[in-house]
Amino acid sequence: MVWILIILSAILLWFVSLAKIIRQLPHASVDAFVNEGISPRNIMLLIAHPDDESMFFTPTINYLISRGHNIYILCISTGDADGLGSIRKNELYLASALLKISPHQVKILDHPDLQDGFGKTWNWDLLAKIIGEEAHANSIDMVVTFDNYGISGHPNHCDLNHGVRKLLRSDSGKNLQAWELVSNNIVHKYIGPVGIWLSLHNRLVKAGRAHCLLNRNPLQTYTAMAQHSSQWVWFRKLFVALSSYTYCNTLKKLE
């Protein structure tokens, strides 16, 4: 009987959390984030591999698109670790279109020194240079990327954060604003929509130093990720269903 009550309570909490996300109940974090911006802004979503945008950043993408901002995706590699780079490039264009980002606003690099792989180290100065050039070419005033843990600890994700930090400390990055996606702990990461309660009560969010963006259409994350058919295997389907990043992004300003 106790186990039945626990299971029923967990199911109820899951659906209550999902209902809050879908209804988009207002909260101070979103209001503050909206008030800080000048609409429309040109925002670069900086990712390491095709599918990062769908797997981790759809709450941010949906939030910004719904408010009329222009999103440019800069993907640093083709994700060619398994020899599928050309396929994965096309998948990113498909997913971006589904997320209402024009293919003309998606750029995928294939630099010999910036190749996909856990054993690949990316040069931070080179990243800063490339990001700065792309930001200037597209009149970017804001960058969104991974934090220094990179959600999964993937070194390519982490290197992007360090590259952006390098850029911000340079003259070419002095007018650029940057935000990082906060990495959640292992429990928070895999409790699906229930994770929004932990995100909304995060000490950084409550102090106004981070903002919690809810994904009003979490099914879109699943649909966008499905465009990456070469990567759409059973454990990634499970990840998207259980991941708190499907339902909510917590963004912290890079200082």
Side-chain angles (χ1 to χ4, degrees):
M1 178 62 72
V2 174
W3 281 109
I4 293 175
L5 289 175
I6 291 173
I7 292 170
L8 290 176
S9 298
I11 293 172
L12 178 62
L13 181 58
W14 183 285
F15 281 104
V16 167
S17 303
L18 197 57
K20 177 175 174 61
I21 292 169
I22 293 171
R23 290 176 61 196
Q24 278 290 275
L25 298 181
H27 53 88
S29 175
V30 165
D31 293 339
F33 192 66
V34 170
N35 292 337
E36 284 181 11
I38 300 172
S39 184
R41 301 186 68 172
N42 295 325
I43 300 167
M44 176 190 291
L45 177 61
L46 178 64
I47 59 176
H49 320 106
D51 79 10
D52 288 344
E53 82 298 330
S54 299
M55 193 177 297
F56 305 114
F57 288 99
T58 49
T60 297
I61 292 171
N62 287 343
Y63 174 87
L64 294 172
I65 291 291
S66 71
R67 282 155 179 80
H69 298 294
N70 302 311
I71 297 182
Y72 298 81
I73 294 180
L74 177 59
C75 185
I76 298 297
S77 81
T78 62
D80 197 43
D82 297 321
L84 299 173
S86 59
I87 293 173
R88 298 191 67 185
K89 283 177 63 175
N90 291 330
E91 291 170 349
L92 176 53
Y93 290 126
L94 291 173
S96 298
L98 190 143
L99 293 169
K100 301 180 181 178
I101 300 172
S102 167
H104 300 295
Q105 294 176 194
V106 179
K107 185 167 184 177
I108 307 167
L109 305 183
D110 191 14
H111 194 286
D113 296 326
L114 300 171
Q115 293 296 304
D116 174 26
F118 266 93
K120 304 288 186 180
T121 300
W122 290 354
N123 183 280
W124 302 346
D125 290 314
L126 176 59
L127 285 169
K129 178 178 180 293
I130 290 173
I131 297 163
E133 290 172 349
E134 291 298 323
H136 178 75
N138 294 287
S139 302
I140 299 296
D141 53 31
M142 179 177 171
V143 177
V144 176
T145 192
F146 294 99
D147 67 4
N148 60 6
Y149 182 69
I151 310 303
S152 61
H154 196 300
N156 298 163
H157 296 178
C158 304
D159 285 336
L160 294 186
N161 183 272
H162 292 292
V164 171
R165 289 177 183 273
K166 279 268 188 182
L167 176 60
L168 293 178
R169 291 193 292 266
S170 70
D171 289 338
S172 57
K174 62 184 179 181
N175 296 320
L176 200 62
Q177 188 181 90
W179 295 80
E180 59 184 2
L181 178 60
V182 175
S183 294
N184 298 328
N185 64 47
I186 192 69
V187 174
H188 188 174
K189 185 176 180 179
Y190 291 114
I191 54 175
V194 179
I196 67 167
W197 305 107
L198 297 179
S199 295
L200 289 172
H201 292 88
N202 180 293
R203 60 182 178 82
L204 295 175
V205 173
K206 291 176 76 69
R209 295 173 54 206
H211 300 290
C212 179
L213 309 181
L214 304 183
N215 185 5
R216 192 168 187 174
N217 185 9
L219 183 60
Q220 191 176 40
T221 301
Y222 195 91
T223 308
M225 189 61 202
Q227 305 307 305
H228 297 275
S229 55
S230 68
Q231 307 300 302
W232 199 222
V233 292
W234 71 269
F235 58 86
R236 288 197 179 93
K237 294 177 183 178
L238 190 61
F239 176 89
V240 170
L242 297 179
S243 169
S244 59
Y245 297 101
T246 296
Y247 307 95
C248 174
N249 282 169
T250 300
L251 297 180
K252 177 178 173 291
K253 191 173 182 180
L254 269 169
E255 304 291 351

